[in-house]
Amino acid sequence: MLKIVIFRVLILKKMENKISQILKFDSLNSTNIRALQLAQLGDLQERQIVFTDFQTNGKGQNGNSWQSETSKNLTFSFLKRHSVSIENQFFLIKAVALGLKKYIDNLSVGMVKIKWPNDILVNGRKIAGILIENSIIGQKINFSIIGIGFNVNQTKFPKYDREAISLAILRGRPMNRERILEDLFQEINLQLDRLEDDAANVSKEYIASLYGLGKTMEFEDEGGNFEGVILSVLPNGKLQINKMAKLKTYDLKEIKFIT
Ligand code: BTN
């Protein structure tokens, strides 16, 4: 009986999180930039997607750019209102990364991991990235723009530090992007909604999904290359590593994964 109730609640939540409209642009500088502009004008509602097949200035994390072959992948952004505080903003990353992981897990295409803070890897190769930008008023997040770049049908990639991969490479055939967008959007929003009443478990699942968790891996910090073990991620989003039997804590720009 309980199982049936939980199943019904899940179906209802999925329906509530359906895309209402896809705002499709042939070309944009960045879907995050456009989504932010639209949101500031009051012209973007939750569940509307800003989508393009070509970004001239796709933004990655840490000031990097995001490259994606025209019309092959998913590059989109959407607006999310929530009650996550500024101090807890890393929870947003956890939920979105977990949504992507769970969606790809269901496709059974390989081993899906989250490389801290928010790269999605399949079999150690990057398949998706996340860029969350918050609009802040006073001490509060007014809304967040969540941008996703997901390699779907691209089969050749430039040489990156970490090799890229796509669903088409993993599946051996092209996939329907619109269908993926719909299902992925629902999964991401299911995870974001969990932040209202189940944030501790979102956190646990995020940490359990980390690439390299508990394994000896090679990193680089200001002191050079070293071998260390990822232990956890703090609530503020910093990475905890065991470096030569000492507990070290890193911010995004302070450490690089070599392995
Ligand atoms: C990263 O891994 O560095 C994050 C990449 C995020 C890329 C997406 S593509 C859609 C949205 N618009 C952008 O300009 N960036 C995000």
Side-chain angles (χ1 to χ4, degrees), residues 124-149:
R125 294 159 76 180
K126 182 158 170 175
I127 197 161
I130 301 161
L131 182 67
I132 301 181
E133 294 178 293
N134 298 316
S135 159
I136 292 168
I137 295 184
Q139 285 309 303
K140 283 198 153 179
I141 300 180
N142 183 24
F143 61 78
S144 298
I145 297 295
I146 297 176
I148 311 284

Side-chain angles (χ1 to χ4, degrees), residues 102-121:
K102 282 178 187 275
Y103 172 77
I104 303 169
D105 271 343
N106 279 333
L107 302 175
S108 305
V109 286
M111 176 69 80
V112 190
K113 293 281 176 191
I114 301 168
K115 181 176 149 275
W116 176 85
N118 57 0
D119 285 349
I120 311 300
L121 310 184

Side-chain angles (χ1 to χ4, degrees), residues 14 21 29 56 67-68 71 109 111 119-120 122 124-125 127 133 149 162 164 179 182 187 193 197 214 219 221 233 257:
K14 276 205 152 184
Q21 194 183 13
N29 49 3
T56 54
Q67 312 285 346
S68 175
S71 308
V109 286
M111 176 69 80
D119 285 349
I120 311 300
V122 179
R125 294 159 76 180
I127 197 161
E133 294 178 293
R162 179 169 301 278
R179 173 90 196 274
E182 271 170 25
E187 189 57 65
D193 290 348
D197 56 5
F219 301 94
D221 68 6
V233 173
F257 284 62

